[in-house]
Amino acid sequence: MNNPVAENVLGTLGAVCWSIQLLPQIIINYRRHDTEGLQGSMMLLWASAGVPLGVYNIVEEFNIALRVQPQILTTLSLITWAQCLYYGKKYSIVKCSAAVTSLLLILGGIEVGLVFALRAAKDQELEWPLVLMAVLSACLLAAGVLTHYWDIYVHRTVRGISFLFVGIDAAGDLFSLVSVLFGRSIDVLGIIIYGTELVLWIGIFICGGIFNLFPWIKKRSSKRALDQEPVLLHPMPSSTSVFRTASGSQVVERRAWQNSS
């Protein structure tokens, strides 16, 4: 299935989607001056995932877009994490900037060193270091998404997660996965990396259908039969946060109640 044009186009789409899905969150945080409900740990996990993913994609000589993609993920994740420190923990701008700059330099240095080391290992036909990078990146990306599953388990609903941007992130995984299929050879580990997160996002959509959509349709149909009055999806304000969790949505609801009192 070697098709360089399709490989590069799909890889670029994947990189663009991964960029778009965090940029709105950064803008929203800035406008609200608030990051309550946004999990800083998720941002750190994604930032860390960019290192082994970048190493793997570079050493395996994926298309340029897939080599740049992890660098974008790490940078935007750290910027979002810095907002959590600034708005959530009230750190100064200097401390936040120092934290992000330090981590960028550390993670960048680690990635560069690993690229040279794994290229040497590949020349000696050692496969396990690359396998390790693939496993690490898949686990770290998955761990970030799994934080939402815990909220779903506790609250039995998918609240505060923007399905639009979850869909964009999932599309980024899908485009990247298909891009790997159009490479010079089918890279099984590359498929596993992007496929793992894609499956988890699909699971979020399924949970949304089970816990949110079906009950809403049933309740709306029943209400219409009685008095034709409109029914809200949730007894809480709509979340403007891209990755706002259930706990964060409760904070928003409590603030709205206090303001109305």
Side-chain angles (χ1 to χ4, degrees):
M1 295 180 65
N2 184 20
N3 189 326
V5 175
E7 179 188 7
N8 283 282
V9 170
L10 291 167
T12 301
L13 288 173
V16 169
C17 287
W18 271 27
S19 301
I20 291 175
Q21 55 97 2
L22 271 179
L23 282 176
Q25 181 70 70
I26 294 172
I27 295 170
I28 288 170
N29 292 342
Y30 173 75
R31 289 178 176 175
R32 289 187 298 128
H33 301 291
D34 181 22
T35 56
E36 286 195 79
L38 179 65
Q39 298 181 9
S41 59
M42 175 182 177
M43 296 300 105
L44 283 177
L45 285 168
W46 278 6
S48 301
V51 174
L53 181 60
V55 172
Y56 186 82
N57 288 3
I58 291 171
V59 175
E60 285 293 271
E61 298 181 352
F62 284 179
N63 59 76
I64 297 299
L66 290 187
R67 299 186 201 186
V68 175
Q69 182 192 70
Q71 324 313 324
I72 296 173
L73 174 65
T74 295
T75 302
L76 294 181
S77 296
L78 285 179
I79 291 173
T80 311
W81 173 69
Q83 289 183 315
C84 292
L85 296 181
Y86 182 72
Y87 295 121
K89 296 187 176 182
K90 308 303 179 183
Y91 283 21
S92 67
I93 293 179
V94 174
K95 288 182 69 175
C96 293
S97 300
V100 170
T101 303
S102 299
L103 275 177
L104 276 174
L105 291 174
I106 292 171
L107 294 177
I110 292 173
E111 182 173 341
V112 171
L114 286 174
V115 166
F116 283 106
L118 267 69
R119 277 177 173 169
K122 187 177 180 180
D123 291 339
Q124 297 178 10
E125 299 184 353
L126 290 176
E127 296 183 0
W128 69 264
L130 274 175
V131 174
L132 178 61
M133 292 297 103
V135 172
L136 277 176
S137 56
C139 289
L140 290 170
L141 287 171
V145 183
L146 285 172
T147 56
H148 293 307
Y149 279 87
W150 175 251
D151 280 327
I152 295 170
Y153 172 76
V154 172
H155 299 279
R156 293 297 189 272
T157 186
V158 185
R159 296 182 180 183
I161 301 176
S162 170
F163 288 97
L164 171 62
F165 291 102
V166 169
I168 292 175
D169 194 358
D173 291 319
L174 180 60
F175 286 132
S176 301
L177 189 155
V178 179
S179 175
V180 173
L181 292 176
F182 281 104
R184 289 174 295 179
S185 60
I186 296 179
D187 191 296
V188 176
L189 292 175
I191 293 173
I192 292 174
I193 293 172
Y194 294 107
T196 300
E197 191 182 44
L198 175 61
V199 169
L200 289 174
W201 282 135
I202 292 173
I204 295 291
F205 277 111
I206 293 174
C207 290
I210 295 173
F211 293 114
N212 296 48
L213 182 60
F214 293 159
W216 173 71
I217 292 175
K218 184 177 180 180
K219 188 174 181 179
R220 185 173 181 180
S221 299
S222 175
K223 194 71 174 179
R224 278 186 172 180
L226 292 175
D227 53 14
Q228 299 295 316
E229 292 182 2
V231 179
L232 295 176
L233 180 58
H234 298 298
M236 57 179 288
S238 298
S239 171
T240 57
S241 175
V242 177
F243 287 111
R244 180 170 293 281
T245 60
S247 58
S249 299
Q250 291 170 357
V251 171
V252 174
E253 184 179 8
R254 185 169 61 253
R255 285 181 171 181
W257 180 83
Q258 291 173 347
N259 291 335
S260 64
S261 299

